[in-house]
Amino acid sequence: MLQLADVHTYYGNIRALRGVSLSVERGEIVTLIGANGAGKTTTLKTILGTVRPRRGTVTFDGRRVDTLGTDRIVRLGIAQSPEGRRIFPRMSVLENLELGAFARPDRDGITADLERVFTLFPRLRERVAQKGGTLSGGEQQMLAIGRALMARPALLLLDEPSMGLSPILVETIFRIVQDINRQGTTILLVEQNARMALRVAHRGYVIQTGRIVLHDAAGELLRSDLVRKTYLGEK
C-alpha cells in the first residue's frame, strides 16, 4: 500500500532523513520506533507532503504522491492523528469530528462514521457538545484519532498516540488501535513507547539519525539486543 524508496528529506541545509526505505502492506500495523529527533515525525510529514523529499519517492496504492499537495494526498486515502493532538480547542467534540470529514464527497456516510467513532470512543459520545480544549489529555487523544478516522482513510498515520498519557490510558489507546486495524484500516504507528508499539504491530522499523537501522517482524524486534538495550531499558 505504501512505499518509501531512498527518501532524503531536508530542513534547509539540515538533512533529517538519509535514504529511508520502508513499506506498509494492506491490513498491517507497522511501527516506526526511535529516539527524539531520529526522524520519525519527519517521515510522516514526508508521506503527507507537508515537507518534500529532495531525493527518493513515496508511493501510495501504486501512485507516486511525493509531488502532490497534502490536500490531494488526504483525498487519496491517507489521514493523520498528529503528535500533540492538535485538536481545535474552542470547537466542540462534534465540530472537531465533522472537520475530519471535510474532504469527503460522500456526505451520506458521515453519520455512520460518527457512530463508528462513538462506538470506539464512548467517552466522546458523552462529551459531544463539550469544547475540545476542556477535555482531558486522554480524551483529546481519542478525539484526534477519531477526527482522523472521519476521513475514512485507507491508511492511518498515528504520531505518538501514547504521549503524556497514564499507563491505563496507554493500554486503552493501543487496544483501540488494534480494533481500528481489525476493522480494516492499515496503520503506520510512530511511537516512543517501543514495547507497546511492538506488542500491537505486525512489523517494525528502527530509525536512528535519519536512517533505518533495523527492520523485522515485531516479535523479533522485541528480542533484538539493540531494541532491548536502547529502547526497552534492558541490560
Side-chain angles (χ1 to χ4, degrees):
M1 175 180 279
L2 177 74
Q3 185 168 33
L4 278 67
D6 192 30
V7 167
H8 297 252
T9 299
Y10 289 71
Y11 295 108
N13 293 323
I14 299 172
R15 184 161 56 165
L17 298 184
R18 303 167 178 262
V20 166
S21 296
L22 63 81
S23 65
V24 181
E25 301 292 337
R26 192 176 304 276
E28 285 189 309
I29 301 176
V30 173
T31 188
L32 180 64
I33 62 175
N36 277 336
K40 304 187 303 296
T41 295
T42 300
T43 300
L44 297 189
K45 288 181 175 180
T46 303
I47 293 166
L48 267 181
T50 55
V51 294
R52 295 193 182 277
R54 289 194 191 173
R55 284 171 46 196
T57 59
V58 181
T59 305
F60 176 66
D61 264 348
R63 176 174 182 172
R64 186 170 174 182
V65 297
D66 54 272
T67 59
L68 302 180
T70 300
D71 60 322
R72 293 279 305 281
I73 294 170
V74 170
R75 291 173 196 275
L76 288 174
I78 302 178
Q80 181 181 16
S81 173
E83 181 181 9
R85 298 141 198 170
R86 299 194 182 182
I87 61 163
F88 297 95
R90 296 184 181 181
M91 301 181 76
S92 70
V93 166
L94 179 60
E95 289 167 336
N96 269 273
L97 293 174
E98 288 175 337
L99 272 177
F102 80 97
R104 287 176 54 172
D106 61 323
R107 312 309 292 177
D108 293 342
I110 291 175
T111 300
D113 283 329
L114 275 172
E115 185 58 34
R116 177 196 180 197
V117 170
F118 290 145
T119 300
L120 285 165
F121 302 107
R123 223 175 293 185
L124 295 183
R125 189 194 301 273
E126 298 168 5
R127 289 156 174 74
V128 66
Q130 193 170 321
K131 294 286 190 289
T134 66
L135 300 177
S136 70
E139 290 163 351
Q140 289 186 14
Q141 185 61 67
M142 294 173 188
L143 181 55
I145 296 173
R147 181 181 59 188
L149 288 175
M150 287 301 298
R152 195 180 281 180
L155 174 65
L156 175 62
L157 309 179
L158 294 177
D159 195 354
E160 304 285 6
S162 75
M163 181 181 288
L165 301 186
S166 68
I168 291 176
L169 273 177
V170 169
E171 293 275 355
T172 299
I173 289 295
F174 277 103
R175 185 174 67 250
I176 292 168
V177 167
Q178 288 179 296
D179 289 342
I180 292 168
N181 178 246
R182 280 191 287 265
Q183 291 175 6
T185 305
T186 304
I187 295 172
L188 177 58
L189 167 66
V190 160
E191 183 56 64
Q192 277 194 302
N193 188 333
R195 191 183 305 276
M196 286 298 299
L198 290 170
R199 283 179 180 171
V200 302
H202 300 98
R203 293 188 297 115
Y205 292 83
V206 179
I207 188 169
Q208 292 182 347
T209 59
R211 290 187 175 91
I212 301 294
V213 297
L214 198 58
H215 161 233
D216 212 330
E220 293 300 318
L221 289 179
L222 278 170
R223 291 186 283 273
S224 157
D225 287 341
L226 172 66
V227 172
R228 287 169 55 205
K229 291 176 183 177
T230 307
Y231 302 106
L232 304 183
E234 298 178 8
K235 296 182 179 179

